[in-house]
Amino acid sequence: MTDTIDRVAIVTGGSGGIGRASALRLAADGMAVVVHYNGNRERADEAVRAITDAGGRAVAAGGDISDEAAATALFDVAEREFGGVDVLVHTAGIMPLSPLAQLDLDVFDRIQRVNVRGTFIVDKLAVQRVRTGGAIINFSTSIIRLRPPAYAAYAASKAAVEVISLILARELRGKDITVNTIAPGPTATPLFLHGKSEELIAQIANNNPYQRLGEPEDIVEAVAFLAGPARWVNGQTIFVNGGAA
């Protein structure tokens, strides 16, 4: 079992939703945390205050993870402030929705840039800079199994994330760094709730055996497991969706 004390985590998208919950949980488990944001510094600072007020260690760092220089600076912050990086939790992503035939290709390109290129960049940096015994945790989606209309571009980007993760796990043979993907189901985050009617949300919530949406705290149980004791879990996509798919 890996001791989480003195480990350092970078959480991309840490200013809200699953990212914020991940940062709080890993800090509660004893890790120092770099809370990444892109455009919402106030929310990131709030997460940092919540961690430090509870006796933990955290700093906020901003930047576009699809830009290699900005992503590199994020890892620089972790090394400068806490001495290194042990865990990458990559939750940052975007989810514009549209039927395929109506999707603006500029929007499609932006989805792929943030979700696919962003993952590729932060994973590449993690390979170079995460210490032995570390963990890379990417995020996919249960939408890949559920396949509802309007999600084609988003699902395509997250399918790419899964493949990147599975191949990277094999490329890291002999490095003692795990690479896994978490695929949440519908979760009550601003990203999911945006633009949906209460009726639609209730309908989606009823689709799993628990008859509710997931909460970020449900998802971070898997994050904490993969970031800490789960050394024999590697090259996997773990669906965390209450049985929805």
Side-chain angles (χ1 to χ4, degrees):
M1 178 173 177
T2 298
D3 189 349
T4 58
I5 303 299
D6 295 327
R7 282 163 74 83
V8 179
I10 293 173
V11 180
T12 71
S15 60
I18 293 170
R20 183 179 190 277
S22 296
L24 294 177
R25 174 57 188 271
L26 295 181
D29 287 347
M31 295 192 195
V33 183
V34 177
V35 180
H36 163 264
Y37 66 93
N38 185 28
N40 199 334
R41 176 63 187 261
E42 184 177 349
R43 286 280 292 167
D45 286 342
E46 288 175 1
V48 168
R49 282 195 298 272
I51 291 169
T52 57
D53 287 351
R57 298 168 295 156
V59 295
D64 177 2
I65 50 90
S66 66
D67 177 86
E68 188 170 13
T72 299
L74 182 63
F75 282 79
D76 291 343
V77 168
E79 293 184 353
R80 182 174 64 251
E81 296 291 331
F82 301 123
V85 184
D86 301 285
V87 176
L88 169 68
V89 181
H90 178 45
T91 76
I94 60 173
M95 192 176 65
L97 302 180
S98 170
L100 188 150
Q102 300 167 22
L103 180 65
D104 187 300
L105 287 178
D106 287 341
V107 175
F108 176 85
D109 289 344
R110 184 162 60 91
I111 294 169
Q112 307 314 312
R113 178 178 176 84
V114 174
N115 294 358
V116 182
R117 176 185 166 93
T119 298
F120 200 95
I121 287 173
V122 296
D123 281 8
K124 177 182 177 181
L125 291 166
V127 169
Q128 298 167 357
R129 301 174 76 165
V130 164
R131 294 182 287 209
T132 298
I136 298 171
I137 304 167
N138 292 322
F139 268 74
S140 179
T141 173
S142 291
I143 290 298
I144 291 174
R145 286 186 176 179
L146 297 169
R147 306 182 189 100
Y151 284 84
Y154 176 70
S157 74
K158 290 302 187 177
V161 169
E162 289 191 20
V163 172
I164 290 169
S165 304
L166 298 177
I167 291 174
L168 181 57
R170 287 151 181 79
E171 290 180 347
L172 290 179
R173 181 182 180 90
K175 300 293 187 181
D176 191 21
I177 297 172
T178 61
V179 186
N180 293 286
T181 306
I182 294 173
T187 305
T189 66
L191 184 69
F192 172 78
L193 297 173
H194 177 71
K196 294 182 175 68
S197 67
E198 291 187 11
E199 181 181 11
L200 178 59
I201 291 169
Q203 178 184 334
I204 294 171
N206 196 50
N207 284 340
N208 70 69
Y210 291 95
Q211 296 178 295
R212 67 171 177 86
L213 294 178
E215 295 292 338
E217 290 72 21
D218 296 320
I219 311 305
V220 301
E221 293 296 330
V223 173
F225 176 61
L226 294 175
R231 302 310 302 164
W232 196 239
V233 181
N234 190 28
Q236 304 300 312
T237 297
I238 300 175
F239 286 81
V240 184
N241 56 33

